[in-house]
Amino acid sequence: MTTDDPLIKELVGTVVAVQANFYQVQLESDGVLDPQRLLLCTRRSLLKKMGQQVMVGDRVVVEEPDWSGKRGAIARVFPRITELSRPPIANANQILLVFAIAEPELEITALSRFLVKAESTSLEVCLCLNKCDLVSTDALLFWRDRLLNCGYYPLFISVNNGLEYTVNSEHRVIQKSLFQAENTFNENTLLHQLKHKTTVISGPSGVGKSSLINQLIPSLNIRVATVSGKLGRGRHTTRHVELFQLPTGGLLADTPGFNQPELECHPEELVDYFPEAKHRFSAGKCQFSDCSHRDEPNCIVRGDWERYPIYLEFLEVAIAYQEAIKQQPDVETNTKSKTKLGGKQQLEPKLASKKYRRSSRRFQHQTLQDLCEEFKDDE
């Protein structure tokens, strides 16, 4: 399909799943994703040569559609608003971090590791605690106050019972249905947080992420598994990233669960991923601009806040990670910038490095001559 003809509109869609070298693309109708228009696409060779990766969440242009076979080819990828590498997803607006308050038991260090990883993406972070039917009201209030001090307003839910728990002004816990449509208009509900956004669900295995998606989108019926009784941890049920359309509006990305995300950040940036530490900067600043907030004098961050020991622990991990990065060689890009008419810059595929190119016949002939001369000299 050519796009030079103004009467022919581009086929634009969103990649909702990637498996091997094939991409499920949901096409748009009048700017809105249409669940009935789904094509299985490949990637153009030019995109491969340029090293253009196609990710779940990418808005793409599809050419040469085969409507009977429901096939097509991705010809272009629109610029991304956001991009995550783990999990690989583009154009997400927020991260819904799902943890269980029990079974497995909630632990502040493990939770903080996920929170720091989520904060490092620069996406909005929404914290949701599941399995609240297994704990007392006092436990809910304890975790609510504890997480508020950390800078987060948690949502308390029970997917098993279909309930959402809120705390009123009198510190009483109110239960209501989790999946009522009118909840989309209440700011302190899960459905409102998900409406009209592309949300990445993340969290450890076994906390109920797949069960939550099954409740939000009953037609999916994603496989779920129980928590391992031997290890006290969840079992992996989600194997790849996939986008699902919510009935109330928005997209939901289910991601594989993992129990300990890597802290791949610069040590000097780590403090920005602790909201309670950032709040301390409103009262002043450290004496030194490169303060690591450990033992420097007149440090505004160092002090009596609950997660400060966790910050110090993560800081050592971040320093070790950066030292390992320095030992790695630079990665060569697959594209080069070329100036076209009018001074316009355009990216083009770069030829393979010389060490990977096939030797010319002239070079091979010269090499054979050299070998023959060496052989004669040996005689």
Side-chain angles (χ1 to χ4, degrees), residues 106-117:
L106 184 59
E107 199 275 318
I108 191 65
T109 302
L111 175 60
S112 296
R113 197 177 187 97
F114 275 86
L115 287 170
V116 167
K117 185 67 175 180

Side-chain angles (χ1 to χ4, degrees), residues 249-262:
L251 295 171
L252 207 58
D254 190 17
T255 64
F258 43 90
N259 290 302
Q260 183 168 299
E262 298 293 335

Side-chain angles (χ1 to χ4, degrees), residues 255-269:
T255 64
F258 43 90
N259 290 302
Q260 183 168 299
E262 298 293 335
L263 297 178
E264 302 170 337
C265 63
H266 292 280
E268 59 270 19
E269 296 175 351

Side-chain angles (χ1 to χ4, degrees), residues 8-280:
I8 300 178
K9 292 184 178 180
E10 289 183 329
L11 284 178
V12 178
T14 298
V15 179
V16 295
V18 177
Q19 287 188 329
N21 295 321
F22 294 94
Y23 309 87
Q24 287 278 2
V25 178
Q26 191 169 326
L27 299 177
E28 297 178 0
S29 295
D30 298 326
V32 179
L33 290 177
D34 187 349
Q36 304 302 320
R37 304 181 71 197
L38 198 65
L39 295 179
L40 182 63
C41 299
T42 56
R43 181 176 49 158
R44 287 289 192 200
S45 298
L46 180 61
L47 295 181
K48 294 180 182 180
K49 291 178 181 178
M50 295 180 64
Q52 174 65 65
Q53 183 185 13
V54 179
M55 306 171 66
V56 170
D58 270 328
R59 290 188 75 242
V60 297
V61 174
V62 177
E63 292 183 346
E64 299 181 2
D66 176 9
W67 298 112
S68 60
K70 295 186 177 181
R71 297 296 185 99
I74 296 175
R76 181 157 57 92
V77 179
F78 286 97
R80 294 165 181 153
I81 301 173
T82 61
E83 179 180 338
L84 301 180
S85 57
R86 296 181 185 177
I89 185 170
N91 301 318
N93 303 116
Q94 69 175 350
I95 294 177
L96 177 64
L97 188 56
V98 181
F99 259 73
I101 201 169
E103 294 186 9
E105 184 178 354
L106 184 59
E107 199 275 318
I108 191 65
T109 302
L111 175 60
S112 296
R113 197 177 187 97
F114 275 86
L115 287 170
V116 167
K117 185 67 175 180
E119 292 284 356
S120 69
T121 65
S122 299
L123 299 181
E124 181 182 346
V125 179
C126 179
L127 178 59
C128 182
L129 299 183
N130 187 26
K131 304 185 182 181
C132 292
D133 56 305
L134 302 179
V135 299
S136 64
T137 299
D138 290 340
L140 290 182
L141 294 175
F142 167 78
W143 277 106
R144 174 184 176 272
D145 295 340
R146 190 178 189 184
L147 292 171
L148 282 175
N149 289 332
C150 295
Y152 297 97
Y153 187 91
L155 300 175
F156 295 102
I157 67 171
S158 170
V159 175
N160 187 43
N161 292 343
L163 294 175
E164 190 161 12
Y165 303 78
T166 58
V167 181
N168 63 14
S169 58
E170 299 176 354
H171 264 61
R172 292 182 179 179
V173 176
I174 308 298
Q175 299 181 13
K176 56 185 176 182
S177 175
L178 175 59
F179 306 107
Q180 288 181 351
E182 55 265 25
N183 287 349
T184 58
F185 302 101
N186 189 336
E187 292 185 2
N188 297 323
T189 62
L190 178 60
L191 290 183
H192 180 82
Q193 290 290 333
L194 301 177
K195 189 177 181 181
H196 302 317
K197 296 179 181 178
T198 299
T199 303
V200 179
I201 291 188
S202 184
S205 304
V207 298
K209 299 189 300 297
S210 296
S211 298
L212 175 60
I213 295 176
N214 282 337
Q215 292 285 354
L216 292 169
I217 314 173
S219 60
L220 292 180
N221 194 26
I222 299 175
R223 186 170 66 91
V224 298
T226 58
V227 174
S228 169
K230 184 176 181 180
L231 300 176
R233 297 185 306 195
R235 298 184 176 95
H236 300 284
T237 56
T238 303
R239 301 299 181 185
H240 59 275
V241 182
E242 189 168 355
L243 277 179
F244 304 110
Q245 196 162 10
L246 290 165
T248 54
L251 295 171
L252 207 58
D254 190 17
T255 64
F258 43 90
N259 290 302
Q260 183 168 299
E262 298 293 335
L263 297 178
E264 302 170 337
C265 63
H266 292 280
E268 59 270 19
E269 296 175 351
L270 181 62
V271 69
D272 295 329
Y273 306 146
F274 286 81
E276 64 271 50
K278 288 178 63 177
H279 179 70
R280 287 175 166 259

Side-chain angles (χ1 to χ4, degrees), residues 342-355:
K344 185 178 180 180
Q345 296 290 326
Q346 180 176 333
L347 291 178
E348 292 186 355
K350 184 189 294 183
L351 294 176
S353 302
K354 288 185 178 180
K355 61 180 179 179

